[in-house]
Amino acid sequence: MATEILALDQRIAAIDDLIAEHPLAPIIESLPGMGPLLTAELLVHTAGMTEYDSPAKLAAHAGLAPVFRDSGTVAGNHRPPRRYHRRLRHILWMAAFTAARECSTSRAYYEKKRAEGKNHRQAILALARRRVDVLWALIRDRKTFTRPAPAIRAAA
């Protein structure tokens, strides 16, 4: 049994090395809230981010975009999606939830949504949707995320 456990540990280490060698892994991991585990799951569930043409399609597949229920002259009728990739949504949810605690920019956006009257769930989903756009831009530009420098106020 011990040899099986050691063999399993070696397979896990080999898979970790394989994930770390993916060209998008450093870019995705640089985003606050995206650790190695969430990065690996995101790459697996999105086929290395090759399945989507735009961030809107990724957000729709993850269930972060509302579905329109317009009919006739009625416009602006939105509802949450019923069909979406639940594991992908969970990955983006967990990353946004962690970022809302750790990243000041994400926390400010979360607080802004709460001030607009959204509940916690709605604010985290809005943050996750925004982070999909940020992630897409980082991948498009092949850049890593850098935290903005804190603003220094001049003494009066």
Side-chain angles (χ1 to χ4, degrees):
M1 185 188 282
T3 57
E4 290 177 11
I5 292 173
L6 289 174
L8 189 57
D9 283 343
Q10 290 174 350
R11 285 182 54 201
I12 290 171
I15 291 172
D16 286 343
D17 292 340
L18 188 64
I19 291 167
E21 291 173 5
H22 194 283
L24 297 180
I27 296 170
I28 296 171
E29 271 191 62
S30 70
L31 197 62
M34 291 296 293
L37 182 62
L38 289 179
T39 298
E41 286 188 64
L42 182 69
L43 289 170
V44 167
H45 290 294
T46 60
M49 300 296 284
T50 59
E51 300 222 345
Y52 308 100
D53 299 331
S54 67
K57 289 188 179 183
L58 174 59
H61 190 222
L64 299 176
V67 176
F68 299 101
R69 289 194 66 197
D70 297 342
S71 174
T73 59
V74 176
N77 191 7
H78 306 295
R79 67 170 176 80
R82 290 190 186 128
R83 298 177 60 192
Y84 54 90
H85 193 291
R86 281 162 171 52
R87 191 64 195 153
L88 185 56
R89 183 175 183 170
H90 177 74
I91 293 164
L92 297 172
W93 169 279
M94 289 303 295
F97 186 77
T98 304
R101 286 184 290 138
E102 295 177 0
C103 177
S104 59
T105 307
S106 296
R107 183 68 185 181
Y109 186 79
Y110 171 81
E111 293 296 336
K112 175 184 161 193
K113 289 298 173 183
R114 291 290 293 189
E116 291 175 4
K118 296 193 182 301
N119 62 31
H120 170 72
R121 182 178 170 272
Q122 292 169 328
I124 291 290
L125 287 175
L127 177 60
R129 174 62 179 98
R130 181 178 188 203
R131 289 169 49 86
V132 166
D133 288 336
V134 171
L135 180 62
W136 194 269
L138 291 174
I139 291 171
R140 179 194 64 215
D141 298 340
R142 300 286 184 197
K143 293 183 179 179
T144 58
F145 183 82
T146 55
R147 295 180 190 265
I152 299 173
R153 295 184 183 187

